[in-house]
Amino acid sequence: MSLQSNQRIQFTSSKIEDLMFRTTFNPKTMEGDVIVNLSLIDKQDFDDVLKIFSMAINSGLAVSPLLKILHEGDSISGRKVGEGEVGFATVCSITIDGLLLKAGVMVKPRFGGLVEIRDGEPVRFTNVLTYHSTTIDPLEVLMSQELTSVMSMLKTGSGKILANLREAPMVARDVIDSTLADMVDAGINGILEVGEPNTRILDVPVERDHLGIVVIGGTNPMAIVQEHGIPIRTNAMSTLIDINKLSHINDLV
C-alpha cells in the first residue's frame, strides 16, 4: 500500500521522543501517565495467555507487573477491541526513558535487539535494529522473525530475550542511579545492565563520555506467547495511560 499525499513517514526514533516528553508518571507519588504496548489475542486463548503473562512478569521479564485487560468494545488510543478479542495494555520500556528525561537526564535510545543469555547472565547483543532506520518498533520486527528463545532462557538459563540499548551522559550517573532506585520502589523494573562510562556494554561500544543502559523489552511476555504457538498481535509504544487505571498481574490471575 502506498502512502497518501497527506501522510508522512515517522521513524521510530521520532515516535519515541514524542512519547518520552509526554510521559508524566511520578514514581514517588504513583500518579501520572505511562507508555503502554497494546496486544490483541483471540478470546479463547485468554486463560492461557494470562498464565504466560503472569509467569513472564513474575520472572522479571517485563517493565512492570501492572497492566490493563480490555474486552470486546473497549478502546484505547483509537484502537477498538473487536468481537471475539481480548486486549492487554502493558507498560512499555520507553516509560523508563521518559522518567529519566523528567529527571534531567538526556537519554538517547539507540536500538532494540536480542540479547543472548548464557547460564543466567547477559552476554551480548546478537541482532539489532536502530530506531533511526525503521518505522516499525525493532522488537516487533524481531518478534515477527521468530528469533527469540525466551522460554528456553526461563527453563535452562540460556536463550535470547528482547532488550533495548540507551546511552546517557556519564556526568548524570548519580541522577541515573537515584532515578532508577525510585523506579524500582514504584515497581518499574526491567533494567538488565548499567554500564561504566566509556565502556562497551554487552559487546556494544558507547559514545565517548557516555554510558550504556540495557533495558528488558516490554514485549518479552508477548514473545513467549508466540513461542507457545498462540497468535498475538502487538502494537508496541501504542499510547499513554494513567497508571492508576492499571492492575497488578497477581490480582488478575
Side-chain angles (χ1 to χ4, degrees), residues 208-247:
R208 183 176 176 179
D209 296 332
H210 284 67
L211 55 83
I213 304 172
V214 179
V215 183
I216 289 176
T219 48
N220 276 296
M222 297 75 148
I224 299 177
V225 170
Q226 183 175 275
E227 289 173 13
H228 277 77
I230 300 173
I232 185 166
R233 301 166 294 285
T234 299
N235 181 11
M237 299 182 286
S238 183
T239 188
L240 291 103
I241 190 172
D242 187 331
I243 196 162
N244 290 309
K245 292 183 178 180
L246 307 179
S247 302

Side-chain angles (χ1 to χ4, degrees), residues 47-218:
D47 289 340
D48 290 336
V49 172
L50 188 61
K51 289 177 183 177
I52 291 172
F53 270 45
S54 176
M55 173 191 64
I57 290 171
N58 286 310
S59 297
L61 284 174
V63 177
S64 167
L66 302 177
L67 71 160
K68 182 177 178 62
I69 296 175
L70 303 162
H71 299 283
E72 293 179 2
D74 292 341
S75 61
I76 182 172
S77 187
R79 183 78 179 271
K80 190 173 183 179
V81 178
E83 184 177 350
E85 292 184 326
V86 176
F88 291 86
T90 55
V91 179
C92 174
S93 62
I94 303 299
T95 297
I96 294 174
D97 300 296
L99 295 180
L100 287 169
L101 179 64
K102 290 297 187 293
V105 181
M106 295 300 295
V107 183
K108 183 192 300 181
R110 280 192 56 189
F111 57 70
L114 290 174
V115 169
E116 178 185 355
I117 307 293
R118 191 182 303 156
D119 297 327
E121 295 294 328
V123 179
R124 63 189 179 98
F125 277 98
T126 61
N127 306 72
V128 300
L129 277 174
T130 65
Y131 295 116
H132 289 280
S133 63
T134 177
T135 58
I136 305 172
D137 178 73
L139 301 191
E140 281 188 62
V141 176
L142 293 168
M143 270 184 61
S144 70
Q145 299 299 308
E146 300 183 359
L147 297 172
T148 64
S149 49
V150 186
M151 197 63 209
S152 173
M153 190 278 296
L154 288 176
K155 288 182 176 179
T156 69
S158 298
K160 292 182 179 180
I161 67 171
L162 299 164
N164 306 281
L165 176 66
R166 287 86 173 87
E167 286 183 349
M170 67 181 190
V171 294
R173 180 62 188 260
D174 289 344
V175 178
I176 292 170
D177 289 343
S178 174
T179 304
L180 294 182
D182 289 340
M183 290 183 201
V184 171
D185 290 342
I188 303 293
N189 301 297
I191 301 299
L192 189 62
E193 189 165 324
V194 178
E196 295 299 322
N198 297 317
T199 304
R200 298 173 73 92
I201 182 167
L202 298 188
D203 206 29
V204 176
V206 298
E207 186 177 338
R208 183 176 176 179
D209 296 332
H210 284 67
L211 55 83
I213 304 172
V214 179
V215 183
I216 289 176

Side-chain angles (χ1 to χ4, degrees), residues 25-62:
F25 175 60
N26 185 328
K28 293 185 177 180
T29 64
M30 290 300 292
E31 295 179 341
D33 293 343
V34 295
I35 305 163
V36 293
N37 306 309
L38 175 63
S39 299
L40 296 174
I41 61 166
D42 294 334
K43 191 175 182 178
Q44 63 186 14
D45 296 322
F46 174 72
D47 289 340
D48 290 336
V49 172
L50 188 61
K51 289 177 183 177
I52 291 172
F53 270 45
S54 176
M55 173 191 64
I57 290 171
N58 286 310
S59 297
L61 284 174

